[in-house]
Amino acid sequence: MREYDAALLELVYDAKRFVLYMRSIIEIAPLQVYYSGLLFTPRSSLIRVGYLKNIPWVTMEPKVADVWSSLIQTLEGHTDAVLSVVFSPSGKLVASASDDNTVRLWDTSTGKQCGVLEGHTDFVMSAVFSPDGKLVASASFDNTVRLWDTSTAKQCGVLGGHFYYVNSAVFSPDGMLVASTSSDKTVRLWDTSTGKQCGVLESHTGWVNSAVFSPDGKLVACASYDRTIRLCDTSTGKQCGVLEGHTDQVNSAVFSPDGKLVASASNDKTVRLWDTSTGKQCGVLEVHTDRVNSAVFSPDGKLVASASDDRTVRLWDTSTAKQCGVLEVHTDRVNSAVFSPDGKLVASVSNDNAVRLWNTSTGKQCGFLEGHTGRVKPAVFSPDGKLVASTSGENTIRLCDISTEQQCGVLEGHTSRVNSTVFSPDGMLVASTSWDNTVRLWDTLTGKQCRVLEGHTDRVYSAVFSPDGMLVASASWDKTVRLWDTSTGKQCGVLESHTGAVNSAMFSPDGKLVASVSSDLTVRLWDASTGKQCGVLEGHTNRVNSAVFSPDGKLVASASDDATVRLWDTLTGNQCRVLECHLGAVNSAVFSPNGKLVASASNDATVRLWDTLTGNQCGFLAGHAGEVNSAVFSPDGKLVASASWDKTVILWDTTQKTAIEIMETSVSIKIMKFSNDGTHLHTSHGVLQLKSSLHSGGNRELAPPLTHSLSVTDQWITCNMKKLLWLPVEYRRSCSAVNDTANLIVIGSDSGRVTFISFDFTALPAAYLQPSVAVIAGKGFLGLVGC
């Protein structure tokens, strides 16, 4: 019986984890539980093992973790970056503040959103609960602090008086006061019962970063850009002390639990301790090698933990002002650290997208909470110390159970953001580039990593295969292009003479040349067989955004922020045309299939056509209401499609120089190409089926229907613009590539994960093989599976 009970408990626990992890999609599209819910659950999950029999239309499943991680739940609802998160005193609620101008309340036991606090008209920088949990105070870029009743989610006060951004707000220990800090160089005190201002500290000469009440509520310590911490008497609202000694801006200040000390963190690489009774400095903690972002006391006041850009957290003994621990594993700067309620743990958050847990007695890492796909903001412990809540720029809050001390993902490959993915010409390989300084090659049949191309010393921005697929050229911020043999993974050339980061590289049509574009304002030509430089194309007076070879490889067209397109002779490296009529930066240029025209897309909201022989403008295509990101010719050269920030794609007749079709999109498109038959546009956000196509004789005829098309939106993999498979947050894309021939999608994520998923369209419901009524993915979805 006991064995039966244990098995039942294990199943119940697993089911609970499954429901919490998949809560958001269960609410939106319940039937996705049988598809994405089971596919993205850890392999050992009893729910997955018991119910994932077979999804006939998924032929390559995504790689997932083996076991449940410390990540309990991801709270989704914000529509922009989440800037801060905080537990209520009881631990039953979490409040999150966001760039979407709202504060949201969440039930920590279920993850359910239980209040949207709307009223701010600009970013909300932070939110904080009153000591009794009945109020929330939110600080915003709209220059106000607002008070909210947590039981009703209604606004109950607007504290207006600042004349610039409010950076933070904090309650006094008795909840009777709120202190707010602002970029207007003041700290203001407010009576929470009346909403009236009861004090202004206006002696700072720089922005005020933070304020904190002493434990007895009699003082406020304010940290400022002016290199000082100022103490304010809350009974009078007057300054009663200036703590001076830092030689750079002060980022934060905090009282010890007994109120006798203040610890301050500064860009001068030090933490300083101050005696609050005398205002005198009583310790300088100076071992960090870069700026210190924050400092915090342990609950018993015996330790200080400091977080720094030098990628470490350091522990200090407050009685001796000596370092007693160095917590160093993070791979990027550490933004903040916080002690657990019992003081036995420290949680640190970093630009490496991770939260790490440390044992304060040993200094050893005892937990690694991954899952965020963007920079993590400060993390907080629940009042009972059993949970950690963290948030980041990917619009989510994550709740982690610290008792499991497990990683929350299997990231096999890149260890940082994936910038780009590209297929080889035969579709057998994918190359991915990352901020981890590597290029990785993946086998598209198995999804397995088959090569790691290491050699760059800085972020790799993009990669491209040679026309025969034998080489990869990678462009990096280390100012080089590197050539790699795809069969061996060996480096076979380092193209180095740029004096700035290299943004992109491309092969000539015959594969004999490589052109590289750099922030040093030049395009350089290289011999692919020898790696020697054979041309420096210099003349642009501002950033070069792109370069492209003509179909015969004899010309290169470069587009620049200097409002020009320049044509270059690849044989001599000489400039042979300057195409200048644009009134703004030129984002891209492209040759027509016969090489006789160039189309340029510009921030001046126009596309212009140029005669490559004479350099004269021969077309002025105006119709967009915003910057034009890109333009592309149809295979027969009779059409140009242009995509703009105004969320439209316009189809132009290159002969008549007129718009023949305007398509509204749900997002701004950056990357496009025509299908081989010219009837569809493949874009970075889906496929557009053109209502009309220009054929020989100038007749416009209805385009034939599309058989199938895969694409990736923010949360979904779609087929013919219908929702097919939902993506959990950690699998969502920073970039993606689609091989329509193999029905394969490759998704690169900010976490460093590269995910392969392939499909069998013969097993899909027939309705998916019909074109959607939507113009583009994201508008008018008819998704069948799970909707």
Side-chain angles (χ1 to χ4, degrees), residues 325-336:
V326 184
L327 317 182
E328 48 185 345
V329 177
H330 282 295
T331 59
D332 208 331
R333 79 182 203 183
V334 186
N335 298 314
S336 68

Side-chain angles (χ1 to χ4, degrees), residues 639-685:
L639 298 176
V640 164
S642 57
S644 167
W645 278 103
D646 66 7
K647 298 183 181 180
T648 66
V649 173
I650 299 181
L651 200 62
W652 309 86
D653 181 329
T654 58
T655 303
Q656 301 298 324
K657 315 298 190 296
T658 57
I660 60 174
E661 190 173 341
I662 300 176
M663 294 160 278
E664 293 185 2
T665 63
S666 60
V667 293
S668 60
I669 302 298
K670 293 183 179 179
I671 301 172
M672 300 184 299
K673 68 173 182 178
F674 276 90
S675 60
N676 291 336
D677 61 6
T679 60
H680 302 90
L681 275 173
H682 294 262
T683 80
S684 52
H685 289 271

Side-chain angles (χ1 to χ4, degrees), residues 110-277:
T110 66
K112 182 179 180 180
Q113 184 174 284
C114 49
V116 182
L117 315 184
E118 298 181 282
H120 283 295
T121 58
D122 210 332
F123 302 158
V124 186
M125 296 300 295
S126 66
V128 61
F129 284 94
S130 59
D132 61 8
K134 294 181 178 180
L135 294 177
V136 165
S138 54
S140 170
F141 268 29
D142 66 7
N143 305 351
T144 71
V145 175
R146 296 177 190 250
L147 299 179
W148 313 84
D149 185 314
T150 56
S151 63
T152 64
K154 300 293 185 183
Q155 182 175 289
C156 54
V158 180
L159 315 182
H162 287 292
F163 54 88
Y164 211 52
Y165 305 151
V166 184
N167 303 316
S168 67
V170 60
F171 282 95
S172 60
D174 61 8
M176 300 300 292
L177 295 177
V178 165
S180 56
T181 68
S182 171
S183 299
D184 66 9
K185 305 177 185 178
T186 70
V187 179
R188 296 174 189 259
L189 299 178
W190 312 86
D191 186 312
T192 55
S193 61
T194 65
K196 292 184 178 179
Q197 183 175 292
C198 52
V200 186
L201 177 62
E202 336 179 66
S203 52
H204 279 296
T205 58
W207 289 5
V208 186
N209 294 317
S210 67
V212 61
F213 283 92
S214 59
D216 60 11
K218 294 180 179 180
L219 296 177
V220 170
C222 316
S224 171
Y225 272 47
D226 67 9
R227 306 181 182 183
T228 70
I229 303 97
R230 294 176 190 258
L231 301 180
C232 175
D233 187 315
T234 57
S235 62
T236 64
K238 302 295 184 182
Q239 179 177 297
C240 59
V242 183
L243 313 182
E244 298 181 278
H246 283 295
T247 58
D248 206 333
Q249 75 179 49
V250 185
N251 296 314
S252 69
V254 61
F255 282 95
S256 60
D258 61 9
K260 294 181 179 180
L261 294 176
V262 165
S264 55
S266 170
N267 278 9
D268 67 8
K269 307 177 187 178
T270 71
V271 176
R272 295 174 191 253
L273 300 179
W274 312 83
D275 185 312
T276 56
S277 61

Side-chain angles (χ1 to χ4, degrees), residues 521 540-546 558-566 579-589 599-608 610 620 624 626-631 643-645:
L521 311 189
H540 285 295
T541 58
N542 207 330
R543 186 180 65 184
V544 184
N545 295 312
S546 68
S558 55
S560 169
D561 276 1
D562 66 9
T564 72
V565 176
R566 295 172 190 255
L579 315 182
E580 46 187 346
C581 277
H582 280 296
L583 303 177
V586 185
N587 297 313
S588 68
S600 54
S602 169
N603 283 1
D604 66 10
T606 72
V607 176
R608 297 174 192 251
W610 311 85
F620 177 67
H624 286 293
E627 301 171 0
V628 185
N629 301 319
S630 63
S644 167
W645 278 103

Side-chain angles (χ1 to χ4, degrees), residues 571-591:
L571 184 62
T572 64
N574 293 332
Q575 181 176 288
C576 51
R577 299 283 185 273
V578 181
L579 315 182
E580 46 187 346
C581 277
H582 280 296
L583 303 177
V586 185
N587 297 313
S588 68
V590 61
F591 284 94

Side-chain angles (χ1 to χ4, degrees), residues 9 44 73 89 144 301 414 433 453 468 497 645 675 717 755-756:
L9 286 174
S44 64
Q73 196 166 19
T144 71
H414 289 296
T433 68
L453 314 183
D468 61 7
S497 65
W645 278 103
S675 60
I717 293 175
T755 302
F756 286 70

